[in-house]
Amino acid sequence: MHRQPDTDLLYRHPELYEVVYDGDNHAVPRLAETIFTERLGRQPASLLDIGCGTGRDLEYLAKHIPDVAGVDHQQVMIDYARQRRGQIDFHVGDMRTLRLHRTFEAITCFGYALANVHANRDIDKAVATFAAHSAPGTLLILEVIDPLRTDKLPRSFTIDIPDLRADAIAEYRQHHAQQLLERRRTWRRAQGLVHDHVTFRLLYPKELEYYLDNHHFDILGAHELREKHNAASAFVVARYRDNTAPEEPP
């Protein structure tokens, strides 16, 4: 399934999400710009951001991409995005079933959005959604948790705004048989403790390659970031191939 807003404090409060995940000077969309330049020789003409959250990354990318759209499963995130970034086309949608009936030159999926889909069949449906919005040559950038670098996931979090000061410590537990990573976080504030919880699906490289290849994406490479909230991330870059061409004989 996707993120469950009842289990994570920051997903219920988008204004706090943007404080805790401050964007590290737009590190993720800046990386995307670099990838687009390397692979396309320019910024794409159109971009779909699936799992867009509050739309902050998309707002940054929209400075140089004329046609952008963002989708998130959570109504509260999209409401906040529309309020703050009304010039962008935002939709509420499930990445397993989303169909906008058009294609884009680039698709992004940041913030471990795909990791909130746990079952194999649902991951396959999500990748099918990427393919449904792709044309030959479309670039896909996926931010996933590197299963070999889970020790780099952030352990401490801070909210420091005029009306609220809170610190949190996160504990992680891996469920190896299910390839799930559970995060339990305790927020300490003057009014008392607040607990939240989220579970991520871990995808290993060859496994992700299988899902992508099954839906006509070729992996081109992977990138890393050292910023605190993305140090465990692998940014996998893939290109959608022409699936109408006849296969070459073996």
Side-chain angles (χ1 to χ4, degrees):
M1 292 295 292
H2 283 248
R3 295 171 179 160
Q4 299 178 22
D6 291 336
T7 63
D8 191 298
L9 173 68
L10 303 183
Y11 296 156
R12 299 197 304 269
H13 298 279
E15 72 283 1
L16 299 182
Y17 182 94
E18 289 205 342
V19 172
V20 174
Y21 299 105
D22 59 8
D24 292 305
N25 193 28
H26 303 291
V28 170
R30 285 192 292 112
L31 174 62
E33 284 186 324
T34 299
I35 292 169
F36 294 146
T37 299
E38 289 177 353
R39 298 296 179 178
L40 297 175
R42 55 177 171 76
Q43 296 304 293
S46 59
L47 170 67
L48 173 62
D49 187 19
I50 297 180
C52 67
T54 63
R56 182 174 55 195
D57 290 342
L58 195 54
E59 180 182 42
Y60 181 91
L61 291 167
K63 294 176 182 178
H64 302 293
I65 302 174
D67 178 11
V68 299
V71 178
D72 199 274
H73 187 51
Q74 297 181 44
Q75 183 73 55
V76 65
M77 286 288 197
I78 293 299
D79 288 344
Y80 183 85
R82 287 171 174 163
Q83 179 183 2
R84 292 288 301 274
R85 301 166 176 110
Q87 75 280 15
I88 295 176
D89 182 24
F90 290 110
H91 305 263
V92 176
D94 186 321
M95 70 166 63
R96 297 167 298 180
T97 57
L98 174 74
R99 294 296 183 271
L100 298 181
H101 306 292
R102 58 160 298 190
T103 61
F104 296 81
E105 194 171 9
I107 298 173
T108 53
C109 186
F110 298 141
Y112 303 152
L114 185 60
N116 289 284
V117 179
H118 298 167
N120 292 345
R121 62 182 177 276
D122 288 332
I123 294 170
D124 191 67
K125 290 177 181 177
V127 179
T129 293
F130 302 150
H133 296 90
S134 298
T138 291
L139 281 184
L140 171 67
I141 306 176
L142 292 176
E143 182 182 4
V144 297
I145 301 171
D146 184 340
L148 302 181
R149 288 190 289 144
T150 57
D151 61 311
K152 301 296 184 183
L153 286 163
R155 261 63 181 177
S156 61
F157 301 82
T158 300
I159 299 172
D160 192 0
I161 57 178
D163 296 331
L164 177 63
R165 166 74 192 189
D167 297 290
I169 300 297
E171 297 180 352
Y172 296 90
R173 179 186 176 191
Q174 269 191 260
H175 301 273
H176 295 283
Q178 294 81 27
Q179 292 181 215
L180 296 177
L181 179 69
E182 184 180 13
R183 185 190 70 200
R184 294 188 177 274
R185 196 162 49 184
T186 301
W187 293 93
R188 296 172 175 83
R189 55 181 188 153
Q191 298 90 337
L193 301 180
V194 176
H195 304 279
D196 70 21
H197 166 259
V198 67
T199 302
F200 301 112
R201 169 67 187 266
L202 298 178
L203 287 170
Y204 287 83
K206 296 301 290 184
E207 182 183 22
L208 180 58
E209 181 182 15
Y210 169 81
Y211 286 113
L212 290 171
D213 179 68
N214 194 43
H215 291 284
H216 311 288
F217 287 99
D218 297 317
I219 292 180
L220 304 179
H223 298 255
E224 299 176 4
L225 284 175
R226 296 182 179 181
E227 282 71 7
K228 62 178 181 178
H229 289 301
N230 303 98
S233 296
F235 292 84
V236 177
V237 184
R239 178 181 285 125
Y240 189 73
R241 60 181 179 265
D242 186 354
N243 65 347
T244 64
E247 294 185 4
E248 295 184 3

